[in-house]
Amino acid sequence: MTKFLFNEFEGTSPEAWKQKIQVDLKGADYNKTLLWQTNEGFNIRPFYTKQDGTNTKINLPKKGFKICQTIFIDDVKIANSLAVDALKRGANAIQFKASKPFDPKNLLKNFPGDTPIYFQLSFLDANFKTKLAKFCHATNTYIQTDIIGNLAATGNWFFNLKEDYNQLEKVISASNNCISVSGELYQNAGANISQQLAYTLAHANEYLNQFGANVADKISFNFAVSSNYFFEIAKIRAFRILWESLLKEYGVENKEAHIFTQPSLRNKTLYDYNVNMLRTTSECMSAILGGSNTVANVAYDEIYHKSNEFGARISRNQLLILQQESNLQEAQNFADGTYYIESITNQLAEKALDIFKQIEKSGGFLKQLKAGIIQKKITENALKEEEKFNNKETILLGSNLQINKADKMKQDLELYPFVKQRNIKTLIAPIIRKRLSENLEKERLDHE
């Protein structure tokens, strides 16, 4: 085709669109009526045109997303059975979580050799992780180690700074894909999107500074996406731009970020919990259209029920429907050329880069974490979000709007769904994951 299909139609300039809108507003102020400001501090307009397109080339995955099932290892045989069953029923990647060493041979019995496997281990044992990596010996095995993320989330190192780095260095020397930067922590704690991007980038930069540019091949990223649909698509895309730009400073070219994405828990609710399925469906779509390599959905009852067959099946089937029935198998490029998404992608990336530069100028991420500056910034934004929720500017259906007063949950709690108070000494103030509706839910439970 030598000419565009619609070349015969006269184009409309942004100025003409705005003039037409102002006429239709019949005297109402355009800026006050139709512009809204994001938490990141930039304005969103009611329309975007070709002039807003950037055509920025983003290093996106060559293949569509993997459907991942998350399984906790309490009993190796049971975990193996659940994983094999999940693979037979549509999953094509597995994330195992464990709090202690396990037997990988029995865990991975009858596994297809090309299955991507993610190990999120809440302990640091270089000898075990090295053995695990050698047993799996595959480029699609990810040992999600994040000593800085552990410090940020708990307030303490696993052992101490020196020993943690020594242990991680041993793992790095013996395995691939062995560092996972926990960007989801910042989202679930209440950081805005530009902060999430900047903190994740600065977090990863600490590993590059410590171990050198060669470790870039072994770093992957774990993100959480929330309900701001287009912004979450833009967030994943913006991070790919930022990561590629950072690596260029280290002399690393054409290195695609490997991104593992899950729906946020911050906006999930205890009451009217079926709405969580609607939230996670939208969030999984954002993750897919943003170009995530792997998407692991969370069950609608994740916050208050132990892992169960029904919840796991529904969460997996949500992704299967999106992949197989909504034709999102190869959707990583679908957002290319969309004026609105391209515009907010660039604005988020620019804002995040400014924050990143400030962090680096002030001595780096670890220094600001130890000084409590990162925690303070996240808390400030989290409190703004909570205030909007309390004032019903941010709506969680069934929690702060259209409340079903007959809904009772006290007898259905298998897990404690709120932030747990810890009376332990910490080196730094930890970054706390907290759901928006927790305070309201505590009040409702007290009055059941």
Side-chain angles (χ1 to χ4, degrees):
M1 183 180 291
T2 57
K3 63 179 181 178
F4 289 106
L5 181 63
F6 299 109
N7 273 357
E8 61 192 271
F9 296 99
E10 184 179 348
T12 304
S13 68
E15 292 76 17
W17 277 115
K18 186 173 180 180
Q19 187 176 24
K20 172 61 176 169
I21 290 169
Q22 286 177 321
V23 170
D24 290 344
L25 284 173
K26 298 178 180 179
D29 187 275
Y30 172 87
N31 291 332
K32 292 181 180 178
T33 305
L34 296 180
L35 298 187
W36 61 275
Q37 191 175 73
T38 72
N39 283 347
E40 291 72 29
F42 54 85
N43 290 325
I44 298 299
R45 307 195 305 272
F47 69 96
Y48 287 79
T49 67
K50 187 175 182 179
Q51 281 78 355
D52 297 297
T54 62
N55 295 316
T56 303
K57 183 175 175 56
I58 301 176
N59 199 350
L60 293 161
K62 304 300 183 291
K63 296 181 179 179
F65 73 101
K66 297 289 186 181
I67 296 174
C68 185
Q69 190 83 55
T70 298
I71 296 170
F72 293 88
I73 305 174
D74 288 323
D75 180 286
V76 169
K77 289 184 178 179
I78 293 174
N80 168 263
S81 176
L82 292 172
V84 170
D85 181 64
L87 292 173
K88 289 178 180 177
R89 298 167 74 177
N92 51 13
I94 298 292
Q95 182 191 43
F96 288 111
K97 293 186 177 183
S99 57
K100 59 184 179 181
F102 51 84
D103 178 7
K105 184 176 181 180
N106 286 328
L107 180 69
L108 302 179
K109 187 177 180 181
N110 299 322
F111 254 60
D114 59 347
T115 303
I117 306 171
Y118 298 83
F119 292 102
Q120 189 179 97
L121 311 179
S122 59
F123 60 93
L124 182 61
D125 183 334
N127 291 331
F128 173 75
K129 291 188 177 186
T130 298
K131 291 177 182 177
L132 179 62
K134 287 181 179 178
F135 178 81
C136 297
H137 62 79
T139 56
N140 56 357
T141 298
Y142 297 82
I143 300 174
Q144 297 176 303
T145 307
D146 188 4
I147 59 174
I148 296 171
N150 179 72
L151 172 68
T154 67
N156 289 316
W157 297 101
F158 285 104
F159 300 102
N160 55 60
L161 184 150
K162 183 178 180 181
E163 180 61 19
D164 279 23
Y165 272 110
N166 286 340
Q167 292 262 339
L168 181 55
E169 188 169 18
K170 291 178 184 177
V171 178
I172 290 170
S173 65
S175 57
N176 298 315
N177 308 321
C178 54
I179 299 174
S180 178
V181 178
S182 305
E184 61 79 23
L185 170 65
Y186 311 119
Q187 197 287 328
N188 279 303
N192 66 40
I193 292 178
S194 292
Q195 289 174 330
Q196 295 169 43
L197 291 168
Y199 297 160
T200 303
L201 191 68
H203 183 154
N205 194 41
E206 290 291 337
Y207 290 122
L208 295 174
N209 282 329
Q210 178 70 25
F211 298 111
N214 290 336
V215 82
D217 286 330
K218 303 189 177 188
I219 297 176
S220 61
F221 299 90
N222 190 346
F223 278 99
V225 288
S226 193
S227 55
N228 197 341
Y229 182 71
F230 292 109
F231 271 62
E232 294 294 348
I233 295 172
K235 178 174 79 178
I236 303 296
R237 293 169 65 86
F239 185 77
R240 291 189 178 279
I241 296 171
L242 291 166
W243 181 237
E244 188 169 22
S245 298
L246 177 61
L247 290 185
K248 282 181 181 177
E249 297 298 315
Y250 284 89
V252 178
E253 300 280 348
N254 299 317
K255 172 60 183 172
E256 175 201 321
H258 184 92
I259 296 178
F260 178 99
T261 308
Q262 292 178 289
S264 169
L265 292 182
R266 183 161 172 76
N267 65 343
K268 302 306 177 287
T269 57
L270 180 61
Y271 290 93
D272 220 341
Y273 49 76
N274 285 322
V275 181
N276 290 334
M277 281 188 260
L278 302 178
R279 297 179 181 122
T280 54
T281 299
S282 166
E283 290 156 5
C284 286
M285 285 182 69
S286 292
I288 294 164
L289 295 170
S292 301
N293 299 85
T294 300
V295 182
N297 196 8
V298 298
Y300 72 97
D301 56 352
E302 175 102 355
I303 61 174
Y304 68 93
H305 268 171
K306 294 178 182 178
S307 179
N308 59 87
E309 197 278 335
F310 182 77
R313 177 167 60 85
I314 294 298
S315 66
R316 182 176 60 247
N317 286 350
Q318 287 174 261
L319 285 169
L320 283 167
I321 289 170
L322 291 173
Q323 185 187 68
Q324 302 297 327
E325 297 186 25
S326 301
N327 292 319
L328 297 183
Q329 298 99 321
E330 301 287 338
Q332 63 271 30
N333 297 104
F334 281 12
D336 290 354
T338 51
Y339 306 146
Y340 176 44
I341 295 175
E342 286 196 348
S343 177
I344 58 177
T345 296
N346 273 7
Q347 289 182 83
L348 288 171
E350 288 172 6
K351 183 70 174 178
L353 188 58
D354 287 341
I355 298 171
F356 172 78
K357 288 178 178 178
Q358 292 169 17
I359 293 171
E360 293 304 307
K361 188 177 180 180
S362 300
F365 184 74
L366 265 179
K367 185 174 180 180
Q368 290 219 326
L369 195 65
K370 291 174 182 177
I373 297 171
I374 303 294
Q375 296 91 320
K376 181 183 176 183
K377 295 291 185 183
I378 293 175
T379 299
E380 287 173 355
N381 193 73
L383 291 175
K384 288 179 185 177
E385 289 185 354
E386 289 177 23
E387 184 178 3
K388 287 183 177 181
F389 173 78
N390 293 334
N391 294 335
K392 297 185 180 179
E393 296 173 48
T394 296
I395 299 298
L396 292 183
L397 194 65
S399 290
N400 65 345
L401 185 69
Q402 295 184 347
I403 298 168
N404 178 7
K405 295 182 179 179
D407 195 4
K408 307 295 182 184
M409 291 299 299
K410 186 176 286 187
Q411 303 305 317
D412 203 21
L413 302 183
E414 295 177 353
L415 301 172
Y416 186 70
F418 308 118
V419 173
K420 295 179 180 177
Q421 298 297 322
R422 301 184 309 152
N423 296 315
I424 61 171
K425 186 177 180 180
T426 59
L427 292 172
I428 65 169
I431 297 172
I432 305 296
R433 299 175 178 89
K434 184 182 178 183
R435 293 182 300 106
L436 273 175
S437 56
E438 287 198 18
N439 293 339
L440 184 150
E441 290 168 355
K442 286 180 180 178
E443 291 180 14
R444 287 186 65 177
L445 284 173
D446 287 342
H447 289 89
E448 280 190 13

